[in-house]
CSV table of all heavy atoms in Angstrom, one decimal:
chain,number,residue,atom,x,y,z
I,1,ARG,N,0.8,-1.2,0.0
I,1,ARG,CA,0.0,0.0,0.0
I,1,ARG,C,0.8,1.2,0.0
I,1,ARG,O,0.3,2.4,0.1
I,1,ARG,CB,-1.0,0.0,1.2
I,1,ARG,CG,-2.0,-1.1,1.2
I,1,ARG,CD,-3.0,-0.9,2.3
I,1,ARG,NE,-4.1,-1.9,2.2
I,1,ARG,CZ,-4.1,-3.1,2.7
I,1,ARG,NH1,-3.0,-3.5,3.4
I,1,ARG,NH2,-5.0,-3.9,2.6
I,2,GLY,N,2.2,1.1,-0.1
I,2,GLY,CA,3.1,2.3,-0.1
I,2,GLY,C,3.4,2.9,1.2
I,2,GLY,O,3.8,4.1,1.2
I,3,LEU,N,3.2,2.2,2.3
I,3,LEU,CA,3.4,2.8,3.7
I,3,LEU,C,4.6,2.2,4.3
I,3,LEU,O,5.0,1.0,4.0
I,3,LEU,CB,2.1,2.5,4.5
I,3,LEU,CG,0.9,3.2,4.0
I,3,LEU,CD1,-0.3,2.7,4.9
I,3,LEU,CD2,1.0,4.7,4.0
I,4,ALA,N,5.3,2.9,5.2
I,4,ALA,CA,6.4,2.4,6.0
I,4,ALA,C,6.0,1.8,7.2
I,4,ALA,O,6.1,2.4,8.2
I,4,ALA,CB,7.4,3.5,6.1
I,5,VAL,N,5.4,0.6,7.1
I,5,VAL,CA,4.8,0.0,8.3
I,5,VAL,C,5.8,-0.9,9.0
I,5,VAL,O,5.6,-1.5,10.1
I,5,VAL,CB,3.5,-0.8,8.0
I,5,VAL,CG1,2.4,0.2,7.4
I,5,VAL,CG2,3.7,-1.9,6.9
I,6,ASP,N,6.8,-1.5,8.2
I,6,ASP,CA,7.8,-2.4,8.8
I,6,ASP,C,9.0,-1.6,9.3
I,6,ASP,O,9.4,-0.7,8.7
I,6,ASP,CB,8.1,-3.5,7.8
I,6,ASP,CG,6.9,-4.2,7.2
I,6,ASP,OD1,6.5,-5.2,7.9
I,6,ASP,OD2,6.4,-3.8,6.3
I,7,ASP,N,9.6,-2.2,10.4
I,7,ASP,CA,10.8,-1.4,10.9
I,7,ASP,C,11.7,-2.4,11.7
I,7,ASP,O,11.2,-3.4,12.2
I,7,ASP,CB,10.4,-0.3,11.7
I,7,ASP,CG,11.3,0.9,11.7
I,7,ASP,OD1,12.6,0.7,11.3
I,7,ASP,OD2,11.0,2.0,12.0
I,8,ILE,N,12.9,-1.9,11.9
I,8,ILE,CA,13.8,-2.6,12.8
I,8,ILE,C,14.2,-1.5,13.8
I,8,ILE,O,15.1,-0.7,13.4
I,8,ILE,CB,15.0,-3.3,12.1
I,8,ILE,CG1,14.4,-4.3,11.2
I,8,ILE,CG2,15.9,-4.0,13.2
I,8,ILE,CD1,15.6,-4.9,10.3
I,9,LEU,N,13.7,-1.5,15.0
I,9,LEU,CA,14.1,-0.5,16.0
I,9,LEU,C,15.4,-1.1,16.8
I,9,LEU,O,15.4,-2.2,17.1
I,9,LEU,CB,12.9,-0.2,17.0
I,9,LEU,CG,11.6,0.2,16.3
I,9,LEU,CD1,10.5,0.5,17.5
I,9,LEU,CD2,11.8,1.4,15.4
I,10,TYR,N,16.2,-0.1,17.2
I,10,TYR,CA,17.4,-0.6,17.8
I,10,TYR,C,17.8,0.3,19.1
I,10,TYR,O,17.5,1.4,19.0
I,10,TYR,CB,18.6,-0.7,16.8
I,10,TYR,CG,19.0,0.5,16.3
I,10,TYR,CD1,20.2,1.2,16.7
I,10,TYR,CD2,18.3,1.1,15.1
I,10,TYR,CE1,20.5,2.5,16.2
I,10,TYR,CE2,18.8,2.3,14.6
I,10,TYR,CZ,19.8,3.0,15.1
I,10,TYR,OH,20.2,4.2,14.5
I,11,ASP,N,18.4,-0.3,20.0
I,11,ASP,CA,19.0,0.4,21.1
I,11,ASP,C,20.0,1.3,20.8
I,11,ASP,O,20.9,1.0,20.0
I,11,ASP,CB,19.4,-0.6,22.2
I,11,ASP,CG,19.7,0.0,23.5
I,11,ASP,OD1,20.5,0.9,23.6
I,11,ASP,OD2,19.1,-0.4,24.5
I,12,PRO,N,20.1,2.6,21.2
I,12,PRO,CA,21.1,3.6,20.8
I,12,PRO,C,22.5,3.2,21.3
I,12,PRO,O,23.5,3.9,20.8
I,12,PRO,CB,20.6,4.9,21.5
I,12,PRO,CG,19.6,4.6,22.5
I,12,PRO,CD,19.0,3.2,22.1
I,13,VAL,N,22.7,2.2,22.2
I,13,VAL,CA,24.1,1.8,22.5
I,13,VAL,C,24.6,1.0,21.3
I,13,VAL,O,25.9,0.8,21.2
I,13,VAL,CB,24.1,0.8,23.7
I,13,VAL,CG1,23.6,1.6,24.9
I,13,VAL,CG2,23.4,-0.5,23.5
I,14,LEU,N,23.8,0.6,20.3
I,14,LEU,CA,24.3,0.1,19.0
I,14,LEU,C,24.4,1.1,17.9
I,14,LEU,O,23.6,2.1,18.0
I,14,LEU,CB,23.3,-1.0,18.5
I,14,LEU,CG,23.0,-2.2,19.6
I,14,LEU,CD1,21.9,-3.0,19.1
I,14,LEU,CD2,24.2,-2.9,20.0
I,15,SER,N,25.2,0.9,16.9
I,15,SER,CA,25.3,1.9,15.9
I,15,SER,C,24.8,1.4,14.6
I,15,SER,O,25.1,0.2,14.4
I,15,SER,CB,26.8,2.3,15.7
I,15,SER,OG,27.3,2.9,16.9
I,16,LEU,N,24.1,2.1,13.9
I,16,LEU,CA,23.5,1.7,12.7
I,16,LEU,C,24.6,2.0,11.5
I,16,LEU,O,24.8,3.1,11.2
I,16,LEU,CB,22.2,2.4,12.3
I,16,LEU,CG,21.5,2.1,11.0
I,16,LEU,CD1,21.1,0.7,11.0
I,16,LEU,CD2,20.3,3.0,10.8
I,17,ASN,N,25.1,0.9,10.9
I,17,ASN,CA,26.0,1.1,9.8
I,17,ASN,C,25.2,1.2,8.5
I,17,ASN,O,25.7,2.1,7.6
I,17,ASN,CB,26.9,-0.2,9.6
I,17,ASN,CG,27.9,-0.2,10.8
I,17,ASN,OD1,28.1,0.8,11.5
I,17,ASN,ND2,28.4,-1.4,11.1
I,18,SER,N,24.1,0.5,8.3
I,18,SER,CA,23.4,0.6,7.0
I,18,SER,C,22.0,-0.1,7.2
I,18,SER,O,21.7,-0.8,8.1
I,18,SER,CB,24.2,-0.1,5.9
I,18,SER,OG,24.3,-1.5,6.2
I,19,SER,N,21.2,0.3,6.3
I,19,SER,CA,19.9,-0.3,6.2
I,19,SER,C,19.4,-0.4,4.9
I,19,SER,O,19.8,0.3,3.9
I,19,SER,CB,18.8,0.6,7.0
I,19,SER,OG,18.6,1.8,6.4
I,20,SER,N,18.5,-1.4,4.5
I,20,SER,CA,18.0,-1.6,3.1
I,20,SER,C,16.6,-2.1,3.2
I,20,SER,O,16.2,-2.8,4.2
I,20,SER,CB,18.9,-2.6,2.4
I,20,SER,OG,18.9,-3.8,3.0
I,21,VAL,N,15.9,-1.8,2.0
I,21,VAL,CA,14.6,-2.4,1.9
I,21,VAL,C,14.5,-3.0,0.5
I,21,VAL,O,14.8,-2.5,-0.6
I,21,VAL,CB,13.5,-1.1,1.9
I,21,VAL,CG1,12.1,-1.7,1.5
I,21,VAL,CG2,13.5,-0.6,3.3
I,22,HIS,N,14.1,-4.3,0.5
I,22,HIS,CA,14.1,-5.1,-0.7
I,22,HIS,C,12.7,-5.6,-1.0
I,22,HIS,O,12.3,-6.4,-0.2
I,22,HIS,CB,15.1,-6.2,-0.5
I,22,HIS,CG,15.3,-7.2,-1.7
I,22,HIS,ND1,15.7,-6.7,-2.9
I,22,HIS,CD2,15.0,-8.5,-1.9
I,22,HIS,CE1,15.8,-7.7,-3.7
I,22,HIS,NE2,15.3,-8.8,-3.1
I,23,HIS,N,12.1,-5.1,-2.1
I,23,HIS,CA,10.8,-5.5,-2.6
I,23,HIS,C,11.0,-6.8,-3.3
I,23,HIS,O,11.7,-6.7,-4.4
I,23,HIS,CB,10.1,-4.4,-3.2
I,23,HIS,CG,9.8,-3.3,-2.3
I,23,HIS,ND1,8.6,-3.2,-1.6
I,23,HIS,CD2,10.5,-2.1,-2.1
I,23,HIS,CE1,8.6,-2.0,-0.9
I,23,HIS,NE2,9.7,-1.4,-1.2
I,24,SER,N,10.2,-7.9,-3.1
I,24,SER,CA,10.4,-9.1,-3.9
I,24,SER,C,9.2,-9.9,-4.0
I,24,SER,O,8.1,-9.4,-4.5
I,24,SER,CB,11.7,-9.9,-3.4
I,24,SER,OG,11.5,-10.3,-2.1
I,25,VAL,N,9.1,-11.0,-3.3
I,25,VAL,CA,8.0,-12.0,-3.6
I,25,VAL,C,6.9,-11.9,-2.6
I,25,VAL,O,5.8,-12.5,-2.8
I,25,VAL,CB,8.6,-13.4,-3.5
I,25,VAL,CG1,9.5,-13.6,-4.7
I,25,VAL,CG2,9.2,-13.8,-2.3
I,26,SER,N,7.1,-11.1,-1.5
I,26,SER,CA,6.0,-11.0,-0.5
I,26,SER,C,5.3,-9.6,-0.7
I,26,SER,O,5.8,-8.8,-1.4
I,26,SER,CB,6.5,-11.1,0.9
I,26,SER,OG,5.4,-10.9,1.8
I,27,ASP,N,4.1,-9.4,-0.1
I,27,ASP,CA,3.4,-8.1,-0.2
I,27,ASP,C,4.1,-7.0,0.8
I,27,ASP,O,3.7,-5.9,0.8
I,27,ASP,CB,2.0,-8.2,0.0
I,27,ASP,CG,1.5,-8.8,1.4
I,27,ASP,OD1,2.5,-9.2,2.1
I,27,ASP,OD2,0.4,-8.7,1.8
I,28,HIS,N,5.0,-7.5,1.6
I,28,HIS,CA,5.8,-6.6,2.4
I,28,HIS,C,7.3,-6.8,2.0
I,28,HIS,O,7.8,-7.8,1.6
I,28,HIS,CB,5.7,-7.0,3.9
I,28,HIS,CG,4.5,-6.6,4.5
I,28,HIS,ND1,4.4,-5.6,5.5
I,28,HIS,CD2,3.2,-7.0,4.3
I,28,HIS,CE1,3.1,-5.4,5.9
I,28,HIS,NE2,2.3,-6.3,5.2
I,29,ALA,N,8.0,-5.6,2.1
I,29,ALA,CA,9.4,-5.7,1.8
I,29,ALA,C,10.3,-6.4,2.8
I,29,ALA,O,9.9,-6.5,4.1
I,29,ALA,CB,10.0,-4.3,1.6
I,30,LEU,N,11.4,-7.0,2.4
I,30,LEU,CA,12.4,-7.5,3.3
I,30,LEU,C,13.3,-6.4,3.8
I,30,LEU,O,14.0,-5.8,2.9
I,30,LEU,CB,13.2,-8.6,2.6
I,30,LEU,CG,14.4,-9.2,3.3
I,30,LEU,CD1,14.1,-9.8,4.5
I,30,LEU,CD2,15.1,-10.2,2.3
I,31,CYS,N,13.3,-6.1,5.1
I,31,CYS,CA,14.0,-5.1,5.7
I,31,CYS,C,15.3,-5.6,6.4
I,31,CYS,O,15.2,-6.6,7.1
I,31,CYS,CB,13.2,-4.3,6.7
I,31,CYS,SG,11.7,-3.6,6.1
I,32,SER,N,16.4,-5.0,6.2
I,32,SER,CA,17.7,-5.5,6.8
I,32,SER,C,18.5,-4.3,7.3
I,32,SER,O,18.5,-3.2,6.7
I,32,SER,CB,18.4,-6.2,5.6
I,32,SER,OG,17.8,-7.3,5.2
I,33,VAL,N,19.2,-4.5,8.3
I,33,VAL,CA,20.1,-3.5,8.9
I,33,VAL,C,21.4,-4.2,9.3
I,33,VAL,O,21.5,-5.5,9.5
I,33,VAL,CB,19.6,-3.0,10.2
I,33,VAL,CG1,18.3,-2.1,9.9
I,33,VAL,CG2,19.4,-3.9,11.3
I,34,GLU,N,22.5,-3.4,9.2
I,34,GLU,CA,23.8,-3.8,9.8
I,34,GLU,C,24.1,-2.9,11.1
I,34,GLU,O,24.1,-1.8,10.9
I,34,GLU,CB,24.9,-3.8,8.8
I,34,GLU,CG,26.2,-4.3,9.3
I,34,GLU,CD,27.4,-4.2,8.3
I,34,GLU,OE1,27.5,-5.1,7.5
I,34,GLU,OE2,28.1,-3.2,8.4
């Protein structure tokens, strides 16, 4: 539906190196973080 409904929330003691959203075979995107 074009909304940002999925997420990966993280504790600020961790550092976010990268994030990605991959649209493929499901009706929701595969979300990934490092």
Side-chain angles (χ1 to χ4, degrees):
R1 293 187 175 90
L3 300 175
V5 298
D6 304 274
D7 210 339
I8 302 175
L9 306 183
Y10 64 98
D11 194 296
V13 303
L14 308 173
S15 298
L16 179 65
N17 291 340
S18 64
S19 64
S20 65
V21 170
H22 181 61
H23 294 272
S24 60
V25 295
S26 179
D27 61 345
H28 285 248
L30 170 59
C31 302
S32 300
V33 299
E34 180 181 280

